[in-house]
Short mmCIF file of all heavy atoms in Angstrom, two decimals:
data_model
loop_
_atom_site.label_atom_id
_atom_site.label_comp_id
_atom_site.label_asym_id
_atom_site.label_seq_id
_atom_site.Cartn_x
_atom_site.Cartn_y
_atom_site.Cartn_z
N MET A 1 0.87 -1.16 0.00
CA MET A 1 -0.01 0.02 -0.01
C MET A 1 0.91 1.25 0.00
O MET A 1 1.77 1.39 0.83
CB MET A 1 -0.89 -0.04 1.23
CG MET A 1 -1.89 1.14 1.29
SD MET A 1 -2.98 1.03 2.71
CE MET A 1 -4.20 -0.05 2.11
N SER A 2 0.68 2.12 -0.94
CA SER A 2 1.51 3.28 -1.06
C SER A 2 1.07 4.37 -0.05
O SER A 2 -0.01 4.29 0.55
CB SER A 2 1.41 3.87 -2.47
OG SER A 2 0.17 4.48 -2.68
N LYS A 3 1.89 5.36 0.06
CA LYS A 3 1.58 6.45 0.97
C LYS A 3 0.29 7.19 0.58
O LYS A 3 -0.50 7.51 1.45
CB LYS A 3 2.75 7.41 1.01
CG LYS A 3 2.64 8.51 2.02
CD LYS A 3 3.89 9.36 2.06
CE LYS A 3 3.79 10.43 3.12
NZ LYS A 3 5.02 11.27 3.18
N ASP A 4 0.08 7.37 -0.67
CA ASP A 4 -1.10 8.05 -1.19
C ASP A 4 -2.35 7.24 -0.86
O ASP A 4 -3.39 7.80 -0.49
CB ASP A 4 -1.05 8.30 -2.68
CG ASP A 4 -0.03 9.35 -3.07
OD1 ASP A 4 0.30 10.20 -2.18
OD2 ASP A 4 0.45 9.37 -4.19
N GLU A 5 -2.30 5.92 -0.98
CA GLU A 5 -3.41 5.07 -0.66
C GLU A 5 -3.76 5.11 0.83
O GLU A 5 -4.90 5.14 1.20
CB GLU A 5 -3.16 3.65 -1.07
CG GLU A 5 -3.15 3.47 -2.58
CD GLU A 5 -2.74 2.05 -2.98
OE1 GLU A 5 -2.01 1.35 -2.21
OE2 GLU A 5 -3.16 1.62 -4.07
N LYS A 6 -2.72 5.16 1.64
CA LYS A 6 -2.90 5.23 3.09
C LYS A 6 -3.56 6.53 3.47
O LYS A 6 -4.51 6.56 4.27
CB LYS A 6 -1.56 5.09 3.85
CG LYS A 6 -0.98 3.72 3.82
CD LYS A 6 0.32 3.69 4.60
CE LYS A 6 0.97 2.32 4.53
NZ LYS A 6 2.24 2.29 5.29
N ILE A 7 -3.12 7.59 2.85
CA ILE A 7 -3.70 8.90 3.16
C ILE A 7 -5.15 8.94 2.70
O ILE A 7 -6.03 9.45 3.36
CB ILE A 7 -2.87 10.04 2.50
CG1 ILE A 7 -1.52 10.13 3.20
CG2 ILE A 7 -3.59 11.37 2.57
CD1 ILE A 7 -0.52 11.07 2.52
N SER A 8 -5.41 8.41 1.52
CA SER A 8 -6.76 8.39 0.97
C SER A 8 -7.68 7.57 1.87
O SER A 8 -8.80 7.99 2.16
CB SER A 8 -6.72 7.80 -0.42
OG SER A 8 -8.02 7.72 -0.95
N ASN A 9 -7.22 6.44 2.33
CA ASN A 9 -8.03 5.60 3.25
C ASN A 9 -8.27 6.33 4.56
O ASN A 9 -9.41 6.25 5.11
CB ASN A 9 -7.35 4.26 3.55
CG ASN A 9 -7.39 3.35 2.34
OD1 ASN A 9 -8.20 3.50 1.42
ND2 ASN A 9 -6.49 2.37 2.33
N PHE A 10 -7.28 7.01 5.07
CA PHE A 10 -7.49 7.76 6.32
C PHE A 10 -8.50 8.87 6.14
O PHE A 10 -9.34 9.08 7.00
CB PHE A 10 -6.12 8.35 6.76
CG PHE A 10 -6.20 9.14 8.01
CD1 PHE A 10 -6.37 8.49 9.24
CD2 PHE A 10 -6.09 10.52 8.01
CE1 PHE A 10 -6.44 9.23 10.41
CE2 PHE A 10 -6.18 11.24 9.17
CZ PHE A 10 -6.36 10.59 10.41
N ILE A 11 -8.41 9.57 5.05
CA ILE A 11 -9.38 10.68 4.79
C ILE A 11 -10.80 10.10 4.66
O ILE A 11 -11.76 10.67 5.19
CB ILE A 11 -8.98 11.45 3.51
CG1 ILE A 11 -7.70 12.25 3.81
CG2 ILE A 11 -10.10 12.40 3.08
CD1 ILE A 11 -7.11 12.96 2.64
N GLU A 12 -10.96 8.97 3.97
CA GLU A 12 -12.29 8.36 3.88
C GLU A 12 -12.81 7.97 5.25
O GLU A 12 -14.00 8.11 5.54
CB GLU A 12 -12.20 7.12 2.99
CG GLU A 12 -12.01 7.45 1.50
CD GLU A 12 -11.82 6.22 0.66
OE1 GLU A 12 -11.97 5.09 1.15
OE2 GLU A 12 -11.47 6.40 -0.52
N LEU A 13 -11.94 7.43 6.10
CA LEU A 13 -12.37 7.08 7.46
C LEU A 13 -12.82 8.33 8.25
O LEU A 13 -13.87 8.28 8.88
CB LEU A 13 -11.18 6.41 8.18
CG LEU A 13 -11.39 6.07 9.68
CD1 LEU A 13 -12.45 5.00 9.83
CD2 LEU A 13 -10.10 5.68 10.32
N ILE A 14 -12.07 9.37 8.16
CA ILE A 14 -12.41 10.61 8.86
C ILE A 14 -13.71 11.16 8.36
O ILE A 14 -14.58 11.59 9.13
CB ILE A 14 -11.26 11.67 8.71
CG1 ILE A 14 -10.01 11.14 9.38
CG2 ILE A 14 -11.69 13.00 9.29
CD1 ILE A 14 -10.08 10.93 10.87
N GLU A 15 -13.89 11.17 7.03
CA GLU A 15 -15.16 11.68 6.43
C GLU A 15 -16.35 10.85 6.91
O GLU A 15 -17.41 11.38 7.19
CB GLU A 15 -15.08 11.68 4.92
CG GLU A 15 -14.16 12.78 4.39
CD GLU A 15 -14.03 12.73 2.86
OE1 GLU A 15 -14.29 11.65 2.26
OE2 GLU A 15 -13.63 13.74 2.33
N ALA A 16 -16.20 9.55 7.01
CA ALA A 16 -17.29 8.67 7.48
C ALA A 16 -17.62 8.96 8.90
O ALA A 16 -18.82 9.06 9.29
CB ALA A 16 -16.88 7.23 7.31
N ARG A 17 -16.61 9.18 9.75
CA ARG A 17 -16.86 9.48 11.15
C ARG A 17 -17.53 10.85 11.33
O ARG A 17 -18.41 11.03 12.17
CB ARG A 17 -15.55 9.44 11.91
CG ARG A 17 -14.98 8.00 12.07
CD ARG A 17 -13.61 7.98 12.66
NE ARG A 17 -13.57 8.42 14.00
CZ ARG A 17 -12.44 8.59 14.71
NH1 ARG A 17 -11.30 8.33 14.15
NH2 ARG A 17 -12.50 9.03 15.94
N MET A 18 -17.11 11.81 10.52
CA MET A 18 -17.70 13.14 10.55
C MET A 18 -19.16 13.11 10.11
O MET A 18 -20.01 13.72 10.73
CB MET A 18 -16.92 14.14 9.70
CG MET A 18 -15.59 14.49 10.32
SD MET A 18 -14.63 15.62 9.26
CE MET A 18 -15.67 17.05 9.24
N ALA A 19 -19.44 12.35 9.05
CA ALA A 19 -20.84 12.23 8.59
C ALA A 19 -21.72 11.60 9.64
O ALA A 19 -22.88 11.96 9.77
CB ALA A 19 -20.85 11.40 7.28
N LYS A 20 -21.16 10.69 10.38
CA LYS A 20 -21.93 10.02 11.48
C LYS A 20 -22.28 10.99 12.59
O LYS A 20 -23.33 10.94 13.19
CB LYS A 20 -21.11 8.86 12.02
CG LYS A 20 -21.75 8.09 13.11
CD LYS A 20 -20.87 6.97 13.57
CE LYS A 20 -21.36 6.33 14.82
NZ LYS A 20 -20.41 5.38 15.40
N GLU A 21 -21.37 11.92 12.90
CA GLU A 21 -21.51 12.85 14.03
C GLU A 21 -22.26 14.16 13.67
O GLU A 21 -22.77 14.83 14.55
CB GLU A 21 -20.17 13.21 14.62
CG GLU A 21 -19.53 12.11 15.39
CD GLU A 21 -20.30 11.70 16.63
OE1 GLU A 21 -20.79 12.57 17.35
OE2 GLU A 21 -20.45 10.46 16.82
N MET A 22 -22.32 14.49 12.40
CA MET A 22 -22.91 15.77 12.01
C MET A 22 -24.34 15.98 12.47
O MET A 22 -24.69 17.09 12.91
CB MET A 22 -22.78 16.00 10.48
CG MET A 22 -21.42 16.45 10.07
SD MET A 22 -20.71 17.82 11.02
CE MET A 22 -21.81 19.09 10.52
N PRO A 23 -25.25 15.00 12.41
CA PRO A 23 -26.62 15.24 12.86
C PRO A 23 -26.68 15.69 14.31
O PRO A 23 -27.42 16.60 14.70
CB PRO A 23 -27.34 13.90 12.67
CG PRO A 23 -26.59 13.25 11.59
CD PRO A 23 -25.15 13.66 11.78
N ARG A 24 -25.85 15.07 15.16
CA ARG A 24 -25.80 15.43 16.61
C ARG A 24 -25.30 16.85 16.75
O ARG A 24 -25.84 17.68 17.51
CB ARG A 24 -24.92 14.45 17.37
CG ARG A 24 -24.81 14.80 18.85
CD ARG A 24 -23.86 13.89 19.55
NE ARG A 24 -22.48 13.98 19.05
CZ ARG A 24 -21.60 14.91 19.45
NH1 ARG A 24 -21.95 15.81 20.34
NH2 ARG A 24 -20.44 14.94 18.93
N ILE A 25 -24.25 17.21 16.03
CA ILE A 25 -23.65 18.50 16.14
C ILE A 25 -24.64 19.59 15.65
O ILE A 25 -24.78 20.64 16.26
CB ILE A 25 -22.32 18.58 15.36
CG1 ILE A 25 -21.30 17.66 16.06
CG2 ILE A 25 -21.77 20.01 15.24
CD1 ILE A 25 -20.08 17.41 15.26
N ILE A 26 -25.32 19.30 14.56
CA ILE A 26 -26.33 20.27 14.02
C ILE A 26 -27.42 20.50 15.04
O ILE A 26 -27.84 21.63 15.26
CB ILE A 26 -26.88 19.74 12.67
CG1 ILE A 26 -25.78 19.82 11.64
CG2 ILE A 26 -28.11 20.54 12.26
CD1 ILE A 26 -26.14 19.16 10.28
N ARG A 27 -27.86 19.43 15.73
CA ARG A 27 -28.89 19.60 16.79
C ARG A 27 -28.38 20.47 17.93
O ARG A 27 -29.07 21.33 18.42
CB ARG A 27 -29.35 18.25 17.33
CG ARG A 27 -30.27 17.50 16.42
CD ARG A 27 -30.91 16.29 17.14
NE ARG A 27 -29.92 15.38 17.69
CZ ARG A 27 -29.41 14.33 17.07
NH1 ARG A 27 -29.75 14.10 15.83
NH2 ARG A 27 -28.53 13.55 17.66
N GLU A 28 -27.13 20.24 18.34
CA GLU A 28 -26.54 21.05 19.42
C GLU A 28 -26.45 22.50 19.03
O GLU A 28 -26.73 23.39 19.84
CB GLU A 28 -25.18 20.50 19.81
CG GLU A 28 -25.24 19.18 20.53
CD GLU A 28 -23.85 18.66 20.91
OE1 GLU A 28 -22.86 19.34 20.73
OE2 GLU A 28 -23.79 17.46 21.32
N ILE A 29 -26.05 22.80 17.80
CA ILE A 29 -25.94 24.15 17.34
C ILE A 29 -27.33 24.84 17.31
O ILE A 29 -27.47 25.99 17.71
CB ILE A 29 -25.26 24.22 15.96
CG1 ILE A 29 -23.80 23.83 16.11
CG2 ILE A 29 -25.38 25.61 15.33
CD1 ILE A 29 -23.05 23.62 14.79
N LYS A 30 -28.32 24.09 16.85
CA LYS A 30 -29.69 24.61 16.77
C LYS A 30 -30.17 24.97 18.21
O LYS A 30 -30.72 26.06 18.39
CB LYS A 30 -30.61 23.56 16.18
CG LYS A 30 -32.05 24.01 16.02
CD LYS A 30 -32.91 22.95 15.38
CE LYS A 30 -34.35 23.42 15.32
NZ LYS A 30 -35.21 22.37 14.82
N VAL A 31 -29.96 24.14 19.19
CA VAL A 31 -30.33 24.41 20.55
C VAL A 31 -29.61 25.65 21.08
O VAL A 31 -30.21 26.55 21.67
CB VAL A 31 -30.10 23.19 21.50
CG1 VAL A 31 -30.25 23.57 22.94
CG2 VAL A 31 -31.00 22.06 21.13
N TYR A 32 -28.31 25.76 20.80
CA TYR A 32 -27.54 26.90 21.26
C TYR A 32 -28.11 28.17 20.62
O TYR A 32 -28.27 29.19 21.34
CB TYR A 32 -26.09 26.70 20.83
CG TYR A 32 -25.24 27.96 21.11
CD1 TYR A 32 -24.74 28.23 22.30
CD2 TYR A 32 -24.98 28.85 20.03
CE1 TYR A 32 -23.97 29.38 22.55
CE2 TYR A 32 -24.23 29.97 20.25
CZ TYR A 32 -23.72 30.24 21.51
OH TYR A 32 -23.00 31.36 21.71
N GLU A 33 -28.37 28.16 19.32
CA GLU A 33 -28.85 29.37 18.66
C GLU A 33 -30.24 29.77 19.16
O GLU A 33 -30.51 30.95 19.31
CB GLU A 33 -28.85 29.16 17.14
CG GLU A 33 -27.46 29.13 16.55
CD GLU A 33 -27.43 28.81 15.06
OE1 GLU A 33 -28.44 28.34 14.53
OE2 GLU A 33 -26.41 29.07 14.46
N GLU A 34 -31.10 28.80 19.46
CA GLU A 34 -32.42 29.11 20.01
C GLU A 34 -32.29 29.75 21.37
O GLU A 34 -32.97 30.72 21.67
CB GLU A 34 -33.28 27.84 20.07
CG GLU A 34 -33.71 27.31 18.74
CD GLU A 34 -34.43 26.01 18.82
OE1 GLU A 34 -34.46 25.38 19.92
OE2 GLU A 34 -34.93 25.51 17.80
N LYS A 35 -31.43 29.19 22.22
CA LYS A 35 -31.25 29.76 23.57
C LYS A 35 -30.62 31.14 23.48
O LYS A 35 -30.93 32.03 24.28
CB LYS A 35 -30.40 28.81 24.43
CG LYS A 35 -31.15 27.60 24.91
CD LYS A 35 -30.32 26.78 25.90
CE LYS A 35 -31.15 25.70 26.48
NZ LYS A 35 -30.48 25.02 27.58
N LEU A 36 -29.68 31.33 22.55
CA LEU A 36 -29.04 32.62 22.37
C LEU A 36 -30.09 33.68 21.99
O LEU A 36 -30.09 34.79 22.55
CB LEU A 36 -27.95 32.53 21.33
CG LEU A 36 -27.18 33.80 21.00
CD1 LEU A 36 -26.44 34.29 22.21
CD2 LEU A 36 -26.25 33.58 19.84
N ALA A 37 -30.99 33.32 21.07
CA ALA A 37 -32.02 34.25 20.61
C ALA A 37 -32.97 34.62 21.75
O ALA A 37 -33.44 35.74 21.85
CB ALA A 37 -32.78 33.64 19.45
N LYS A 38 -33.24 33.65 22.66
CA LYS A 38 -34.18 33.91 23.76
C LYS A 38 -33.47 34.52 24.97
O LYS A 38 -34.08 34.96 25.93
CB LYS A 38 -34.80 32.59 24.22
CG LYS A 38 -35.73 31.99 23.19
CD LYS A 38 -36.32 30.68 23.74
CE LYS A 38 -37.17 30.00 22.72
NZ LYS A 38 -37.64 28.66 23.19
N GLY A 39 -32.13 34.57 24.94
CA GLY A 39 -31.35 35.12 26.03
C GLY A 39 -31.31 34.15 27.23
O GLY A 39 -31.18 34.59 28.37
N GLU A 40 -31.34 32.88 27.00
CA GLU A 40 -31.41 31.86 28.06
C GLU A 40 -30.07 31.13 28.23
O GLU A 40 -30.06 30.10 28.92
CB GLU A 40 -32.48 30.85 27.76
CG GLU A 40 -33.89 31.42 27.71
CD GLU A 40 -34.95 30.39 27.36
OE1 GLU A 40 -34.56 29.27 26.94
OE2 GLU A 40 -36.12 30.70 27.50
N LEU A 41 -29.04 31.63 27.65
CA LEU A 41 -27.72 30.93 27.82
C LEU A 41 -27.27 31.07 29.26
O LEU A 41 -27.48 32.09 29.93
CB LEU A 41 -26.67 31.53 26.91
CG LEU A 41 -26.82 31.22 25.44
CD1 LEU A 41 -25.68 31.89 24.65
CD2 LEU A 41 -26.78 29.72 25.17
N THR A 42 -26.59 30.06 29.75
CA THR A 42 -26.02 30.04 31.09
C THR A 42 -24.82 30.99 31.11
O THR A 42 -23.83 30.73 30.37
CB THR A 42 -25.62 28.65 31.54
OG1 THR A 42 -26.73 27.80 31.39
CG2 THR A 42 -25.12 28.63 32.97
N LYS A 43 -24.89 32.04 31.89
CA LYS A 43 -23.79 33.04 31.89
C LYS A 43 -22.52 32.47 32.53
O LYS A 43 -21.43 32.67 32.03
CB LYS A 43 -24.19 34.29 32.69
CG LYS A 43 -25.40 34.98 32.11
CD LYS A 43 -25.04 35.67 30.83
CE LYS A 43 -26.26 36.42 30.30
NZ LYS A 43 -26.09 37.00 29.00
N PHE A 44 -22.63 31.75 33.62
CA PHE A 44 -21.49 31.20 34.32
C PHE A 44 -21.71 29.71 34.54
O PHE A 44 -22.18 29.31 35.62
CB PHE A 44 -21.24 31.92 35.66
CG PHE A 44 -21.00 33.38 35.50
CD1 PHE A 44 -22.02 34.32 35.74
CD2 PHE A 44 -19.78 33.88 35.01
CE1 PHE A 44 -21.81 35.67 35.58
CE2 PHE A 44 -19.55 35.22 34.87
CZ PHE A 44 -20.61 36.13 35.14
N PRO A 45 -21.40 28.88 33.56
CA PRO A 45 -21.64 27.44 33.69
C PRO A 45 -20.81 26.84 34.83
O PRO A 45 -19.72 27.34 35.18
CB PRO A 45 -21.23 26.89 32.36
CG PRO A 45 -20.34 27.87 31.73
CD PRO A 45 -20.74 29.19 32.31
N LYS A 46 -21.34 25.76 35.40
CA LYS A 46 -20.61 25.07 36.48
C LYS A 46 -19.34 24.45 35.93
O LYS A 46 -19.41 23.78 34.87
CB LYS A 46 -21.54 23.99 37.10
CG LYS A 46 -20.97 23.27 38.25
CD LYS A 46 -21.97 22.31 38.85
CE LYS A 46 -21.33 21.56 40.01
NZ LYS A 46 -22.28 20.56 40.53
N VAL A 47 -18.25 24.60 36.59
CA VAL A 47 -16.98 24.06 36.16
C VAL A 47 -16.94 22.57 36.51
O VAL A 47 -17.28 22.18 37.60
CB VAL A 47 -15.80 24.80 36.83
CG1 VAL A 47 -14.48 24.20 36.42
CG2 VAL A 47 -15.85 26.27 36.47
N ALA A 48 -16.49 21.74 35.55
CA ALA A 48 -16.37 20.32 35.77
C ALA A 48 -15.32 20.05 36.86
O ALA A 48 -14.29 20.76 36.96
CB ALA A 48 -15.99 19.62 34.49
N PRO A 49 -15.54 19.02 37.70
CA PRO A 49 -14.63 18.77 38.82
C PRO A 49 -13.19 18.51 38.43
O PRO A 49 -12.28 18.82 39.19
CB PRO A 49 -15.25 17.55 39.54
CG PRO A 49 -16.38 17.13 38.73
CD PRO A 49 -16.65 18.10 37.64
N GLN A 50 -12.97 17.92 37.27
CA GLN A 50 -11.58 17.60 36.89
C GLN A 50 -10.79 18.86 36.62
O GLN A 50 -9.56 18.78 36.56
CB GLN A 50 -11.51 16.65 35.68
CG GLN A 50 -11.99 17.20 34.37
CD GLN A 50 -13.45 16.95 34.10
OE1 GLN A 50 -14.28 16.81 35.02
NE2 GLN A 50 -13.81 16.84 32.85
N PHE A 51 -11.42 20.02 36.48
CA PHE A 51 -10.71 21.29 36.23
C PHE A 51 -10.53 22.11 37.47
O PHE A 51 -9.92 23.17 37.45
CB PHE A 51 -11.44 22.07 35.14
CG PHE A 51 -11.47 21.37 33.80
CD1 PHE A 51 -12.65 20.95 33.27
CD2 PHE A 51 -10.30 21.12 33.13
CE1 PHE A 51 -12.69 20.32 32.04
CE2 PHE A 51 -10.32 20.43 31.93
CZ PHE A 51 -11.53 20.02 31.40
N ASN A 52 -11.10 21.65 38.57
CA ASN A 52 -10.86 22.41 39.84
C ASN A 52 -9.48 22.03 40.36
O ASN A 52 -9.11 20.88 40.40
CB ASN A 52 -11.94 22.00 40.89
CG ASN A 52 -13.30 22.54 40.51
OD1 ASN A 52 -13.41 23.48 39.76
ND2 ASN A 52 -14.33 21.94 41.07
N GLY A 53 -8.76 23.00 40.71
CA GLY A 53 -7.42 22.56 41.01
C GLY A 53 -6.67 23.18 42.04
O GLY A 53 -5.64 23.10 42.36
#
């Protein structure tokens, strides 16, 4: 397998993974934009425990 084939296979794998995740990401963006328009965004979100230090 040549270097070009390996790169091509890797790109195809990444594109497939991105296509699988895009519906979830689009839904998250839609929710964010709706909350932004209504002014309901959390101003100071709770910090996750692993970042307290």
Side-chain angles (χ1 to χ4, degrees):
M1 183 177 278
S2 72
K3 185 175 181 179
D4 290 337
E5 290 174 333
K6 288 181 182 179
I7 292 171
S8 179
N9 288 341
F10 179 73
I11 290 173
E12 289 175 8
L13 174 68
I14 296 298
E15 287 176 341
R17 290 171 66 186
M18 287 178 64
K20 180 180 168 187
E21 288 296 316
M22 282 310 293
R24 180 184 61 84
I25 294 169
I26 290 170
R27 283 192 305 271
E28 289 179 9
I29 291 171
K30 183 179 176 185
V31 169
Y32 172 83
E33 289 176 344
E34 288 173 355
K35 286 187 174 189
L36 179 63
K38 292 179 184 177
E40 296 177 350
L41 288 179
T42 305
K43 298 289 183 187
F44 301 102
K46 184 177 179 182
V47 178
Q50 68 267 29
F51 298 115
N52 290 339

